[in-house]
Amino acid sequence: WWTGPKTNPNPRLMSVAGSSTGMLRSASVKGNINLSKTSSLPRVQGLILYSPGHVGVYVGGNVAVDNRCTGQNIKVQPVFGGRYRWQKWFKLPQLRYPGTGFVTCNGGQYYYENGQYVAGTTKSVGGTVYKFDASGRLTSGSVPASARAASAAAGVYRRVLQVGLRGGDVLALQRKLTGLHFMTADNCTGYYGPITKAAVLNYQRKKGLSATGIADLKTLSSLGL
């Protein structure tokens, strides 16, 4: 998947092996998209969109992001009313999607209720009334810091960590493993290299987890991340 500006996409945010059809088959939560019925696509950011031989990412607000050909930049187009005809949606097994609570996505605040973000409405949460536009983005009301912290602690949109990745989540993993004496503090760099892989592998073996050296969601949950 991609991060960074459209003119310089970085495909290293998450690596998912397999064909588009294989990804669809492995998904346990999925459904059909009826392009004449917007309600056929759940209001969930991070859903994977499928058409034969291709996948994209739904970022909410009727917007799909995909990269169709080698050498081309990212395409950002509507799902409904756009030129590309998506046929199915599914949840990526490597991610944990939101349940209920505030979520920050693309710099905006959204409120999820029972697995979907609310849109085009007002909502009373904890005695405070919030207003959300048609795309689900918060337009009035300030989300309390405690709610933002709870959302972050819930680990929504966590990614599987493996060799080659960088980021704050990698650093948090390294610090946790250091605290458990599987690696040393001088190796807490935020980069997932051979040392981190070996530490994860040893932790997985000790805990009776699948020993792959990849910090999957089960491993991260075991570590409290």
Side-chain angles (χ1 to χ4, degrees):
W1 313 111
W2 308 279
T3 183
K6 298 177 186 177
T7 55
N8 185 30
N10 180 350
R12 296 182 180 178
L13 183 60
M14 178 181 288
S15 176
V16 180
S19 66
S20 58
T21 302
M23 291 169 63
L24 176 65
R25 287 175 179 167
S26 68
S28 59
V29 181
K30 50 193 164 186
N32 296 319
I33 297 176
N34 181 341
L35 291 176
S36 63
K37 190 176 182 180
T38 58
S39 61
S40 64
L41 179 63
R43 296 189 306 275
V44 181
Q45 292 143 327
L47 288 180
I48 307 304
L49 305 176
Y50 167 89
S51 66
H54 191 62
V55 292
V57 180
Y58 183 58
V59 296
N62 191 35
V63 177
V65 178
D66 70 300
N67 192 348
R68 299 183 196 161
C69 300
T70 301
Q72 290 189 12
N73 290 329
I74 293 174
K75 303 293 184 182
V76 180
Q77 293 187 354
V79 177
F80 300 94
R83 298 178 62 183
Y84 205 78
R85 300 188 65 81
W86 300 105
Q87 296 183 7
K88 297 179 182 292
W89 63 266
F90 62 91
K91 288 188 174 182
L92 197 66
Q94 290 89 341
L95 293 180
R96 187 172 74 181
Y97 291 83
T100 297
F102 285 99
V103 168
T104 300
C105 184
N106 295 327
Q109 295 287 335
Y110 300 80
Y111 184 76
Y112 274 76
E113 188 172 54
N114 299 321
Q116 296 192 55
Y117 62 81
V118 301
T121 187
T122 57
K123 185 75 180 176
S124 178
V125 181
T128 301
V129 176
Y130 301 92
K131 185 176 181 180
F132 303 88
D133 65 16
S135 70
R137 195 181 185 99
L138 177 68
T139 57
S140 69
S142 178
V143 180
S146 58
R148 292 196 299 269
S151 176
V156 294
Y157 301 122
R158 289 185 303 172
R159 58 175 177 167
V160 171
L161 302 179
Q162 55 191 309
V163 171
L165 296 180
R166 298 179 184 272
D169 49 358
V170 175
L171 183 59
L173 168 66
Q174 292 170 331
R175 287 173 173 168
K176 180 70 73 169
L177 291 170
T178 296
L180 296 172
H181 307 293
F182 285 95
M183 58 189 300
T184 57
D186 58 329
N187 289 311
C188 295
T189 62
Y191 173 72
Y192 201 118
I195 293 175
T196 303
K197 178 180 179 180
V200 169
L201 192 62
N202 289 333
Y203 174 81
Q204 290 170 329
R205 286 170 176 163
K206 182 174 181 179
K207 294 296 182 179
L209 300 169
S210 179
T212 61
I214 296 173
D216 56 17
L217 297 188
K218 185 174 289 188
T219 299
L220 293 173
S221 295
S222 174
L223 285 162
L225 296 172

